[in-house]
């Protein structure tokens, strides 16, 4: 236990010191790792802990991104104030999808598909309505001042991403210690048995999707404040959903550190292979190298490590007799 | 024991050294002498992802242009400094494009050229603005790119607005000459920023030339079946179908309309992503009489024709990504030459005041206002007998337009 606390403290110290020691590019990579881990954790809370696998989590991400952008650009809100509003919108969408889906008794792959359908509907709507400026997208005026949630020095956006990641880990940690978390695990393991035990399955599932929606929407606002541009494909495209799902699955769904480990692994592979393709002459013409390695790694993890990299670490740390068991 | 610091100079060494210094001071090149530091330029294109072909074509243009500049002696006002290209893959993702900007900034680039997709270009040039580094948009049609007040962004090519205006004017002239056969149109566009923006502009302007828009039909990227859209077009019975989409969808839609024998007076696109030699050579029957307003080289330019031959001799197609990337490298080299330095302030001033002659392109005199070249113009083209002919502007025209096109028998 003490060893684990020491490891965490060392990890945190390294994460805090990291941007002070590396160039801006690597700070950006670090920021992407924590940001992806954060949105991955938002998926993990619903998909990993509660077993409500979603293929369309980007719907919350896009809702958050568009809400804060519209509030700023159209209504002149301050970016920081628009952030909680975006989270509230994400929570509302999460609540709505949960109520509609769970009331209809959708679960498992049916629930996964309905979330995908919701994301598609949101993408088409945002492409068509004038207040999102349709496919033209929305641009936030660049004015890099902290009060505008825009930073000239990438170190601050890195620390903000780190903070979000820490908060998401704390939420996940709290889930493992709380009755609410225990009820979610019970629902994940056997929904009918959980109901038989007196758990209000519907309410718990609505609560977790609302929480997950709020978190993911916070990620959407963070994204748009970093890149200052959003359009329907970026906001509601399937790519972000896959990214959230993948980091959790690769790292270990339903674990506290799974999304972070997955994000480090996948972002790291992407960056290393892109770097290799740039410097190794034999690889210069292998353009999709990172995608090839990405795919191979995914196949290996699905085939050999069904509980993700966290499962591998756990097995490595376990005593030999436990491993045999 | 202290190590002695210093070097002993032999008589032979002294003579050789003196000769080298003398040669250097007289301006003779010396073997192994100090070469001017290369000018690093970052090129960011989507060489993987759903527009990978276009990104790879842009890289081809970059490679040829950098090679030509360097073989011609580099940047002479900088002592013959060579251009050193740093190649980045945006993977068609905004985040990756921005990360490439950061990475290349660490490597000390003097300027960037990219990014093919407008959203990536918008975010990447924004990131470059933090470092006051010039960003040349080789391809990227959104007018948002140059309307942000960023001093580091330059676009030599025309944007949506200009292309649409030119396309509408050309279509209006053709229709008038043909006795006003076209009274209605259907616009089919990809649902992203590029297609929607163009479609919206077209929809607003077509009535000004007496053509009413019956419907705007959006489709996703990728879309692999256009049967339903073709049926919808048939039922709406417009005289004109206007298209604004990327390579694969453009070709598939055209092929489906051809297969279903949908009779139209013309198919017209503005910035049609698939109107290129690949399409025209592979499907001459399908493409016959189709028209497009797009970036195109000046067919009357000997230099453009020579570059086209080089590209085709190498087994590649002379698509717009190739010559726009090539032209932008030449534009940057010209500005570096005039700036006499890779200093960012000096380079920005040289770019902003540039009167660069874009020899390959059918452009007017270069003049930048808010980063947009006011002399930029598109060309209106038609596929005729398996080749692409320029039909407007008149001074660059290589053939006379066929409109309306013959009906299916």
């Amino acid at each position: 236990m003490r060893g684990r606390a020491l490891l965490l403290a060392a990890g945190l110290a390294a994460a805090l010191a990291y941007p002070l020691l590396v160039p801006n590019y690597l700070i950006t990579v670090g920021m992407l790792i924590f940001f992806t881990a954060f949105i991955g954790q938002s998926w993990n809370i619903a998909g990993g802990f509660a077993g409500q696998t979603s293929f369309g989590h980007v719907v919350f991400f896009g809702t958050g991104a568009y809400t804060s952008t519209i509030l700023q650009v159209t209504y002149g809100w301050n970016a920081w104030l628009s952030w909680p509003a975006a989270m509230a919108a994400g929570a509302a969408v999460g609540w709505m999808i949960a109520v509609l889906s769970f009331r209809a008794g959708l679960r498992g792959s049916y629930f996964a598909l309905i979330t995908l359908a919701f994301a598609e509907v949101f993408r088409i709507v945002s492409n068509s309505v004038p207040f999102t400026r349709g496919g033209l997208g929305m641009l936030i005026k660049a004015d890099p001042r902290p009060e505008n949630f825009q930073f000239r020095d990438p170190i601050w956006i890195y620390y903000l991403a780190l903070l979000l990641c820490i908060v998401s880990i704390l939420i996940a940690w709290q889930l493992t210690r709380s009755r609410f978390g225990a009820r979610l695990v019970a629902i994940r393991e056997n929904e009918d048995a959980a109901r038989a035990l007196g758990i209000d399955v519907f309410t718990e599932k609505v609560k977790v999707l609302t929480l997950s929606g709020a978190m993911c929407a916070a990620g959407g606002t963070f994204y748009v404040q970093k890149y200052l541009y959003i359009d329907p494909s970026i906001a509601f495209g399937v790519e972000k959903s896959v990214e959230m799902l993948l980091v959790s699955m690769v790292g270990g769904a339903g674990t506290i550190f799974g999304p972070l480990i997955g994000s480090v692994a996948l972002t790291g592979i992407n960056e290393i292979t892109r770097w290799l393709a740039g410097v190794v002459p034999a690889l210069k013409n292998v353009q999709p190298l990172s995608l090839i390695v990405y795919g191979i790694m995914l196949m290996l993890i699905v085939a050999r490590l069904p509980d993700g990299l966290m499962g591998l670490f756990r097995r490595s740390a376990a005593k030999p007799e436990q491993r045999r068991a | 024991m202290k190590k002695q610091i210093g070097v002993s100079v032999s008589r032979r060494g002294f003579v050789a050294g003196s000769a080298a210094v003398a040669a250097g001071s007289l301006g003779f090149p010396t073997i192994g002498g100090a070469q001017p530091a290369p000018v690093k330029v970052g090129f960011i294109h989507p060489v993987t992802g759903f527009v990978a072909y276009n990104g790879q074509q842009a890289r081809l243009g970059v490679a040829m242009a950098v090679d030509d500049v360097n073989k011609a002696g580099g940047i002479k006002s900088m002592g013959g400094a060579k251009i050193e290209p740093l190649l980045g893959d945006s993977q068609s993702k905004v985040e990756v494009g921005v990360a490439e900007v950061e990475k290349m900034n660490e490597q000390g680039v003097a300027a960037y050229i990219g990014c093919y997709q407008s959203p990536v270009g918008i975010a990447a040039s924004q990131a470059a603005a933090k470092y006051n580094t010039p960003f040349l948009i080789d391809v990227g049609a959104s007018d948002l790119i140059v309307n942000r007040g960023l001093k580091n962004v330059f676009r030599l090519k025309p944007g949506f607005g200009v292309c649409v205006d030119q396309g509408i004017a050309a279509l209006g002239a053709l229709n008038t000459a043909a006795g006003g056969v076209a009274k209605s149109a259907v616009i089919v566009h990809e649902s992203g920023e590029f297609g929607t923006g163009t479609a919206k502009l077209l929809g607003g302007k077509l009535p000004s030339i007496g053509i009413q828009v019956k419907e705007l039909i959006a489709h996703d990227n990728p879309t692999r079946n256009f049967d339903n859209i073709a049926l919808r077009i048939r039922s709406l019975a417009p005289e004109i179908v206007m298209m604004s989409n990327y390579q694969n969808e453009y070709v598939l839609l055209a092929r489906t309309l051809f297969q279903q024998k949908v009779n139209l007076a013309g198919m017209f696109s503005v910035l049609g992503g698939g109107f290129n030699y690949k399409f025209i050579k592979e499907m001459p029957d399908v493409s016959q009489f189709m028209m497009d307003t797009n970036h195109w080289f000046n067919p009357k330019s000997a230099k453009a024709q020579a570059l086209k031959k080089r590209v085709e001799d190498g087994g590649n197609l002379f698509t717009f990504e190739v010559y726009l990337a090539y032209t932008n490298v030449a534009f940057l080299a010209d500005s570096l030459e005039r700036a006499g330095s890779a200093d960012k302030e000096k380079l920005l001033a040289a770019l902003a005041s540039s009167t660069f002659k874009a020899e390959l392109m059918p452009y007017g005199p270069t003049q930048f206002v808010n980063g947009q070249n006011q002399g930029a113009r598109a060309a209106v083209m038609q596929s005729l007998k398996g080749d692409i002919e320029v039909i407007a502007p008149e001074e660059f025209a290589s053939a006379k337009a066929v409109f309306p096109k013959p009906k299916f028998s």
Side-chain angles (χ1 to χ4, degrees), chain A residues 38-50:
Chain A
F38 172 71
I39 55 172
Q41 191 70 271
S42 77
W43 181 92
N44 189 39
I45 281 170
F49 285 96

Side-chain angles (χ1 to χ4, degrees), chain A residues 43 46-48 50-57 108-113 115 245 249:
Chain A
W43 181 92
Q52 305 307 306
T53 304
S54 151
F55 289 166
H57 237 59
S109 51
Y110 295 100
F111 174 71
L113 287 174
T115 56
L245 192 145
M249 302 297 273

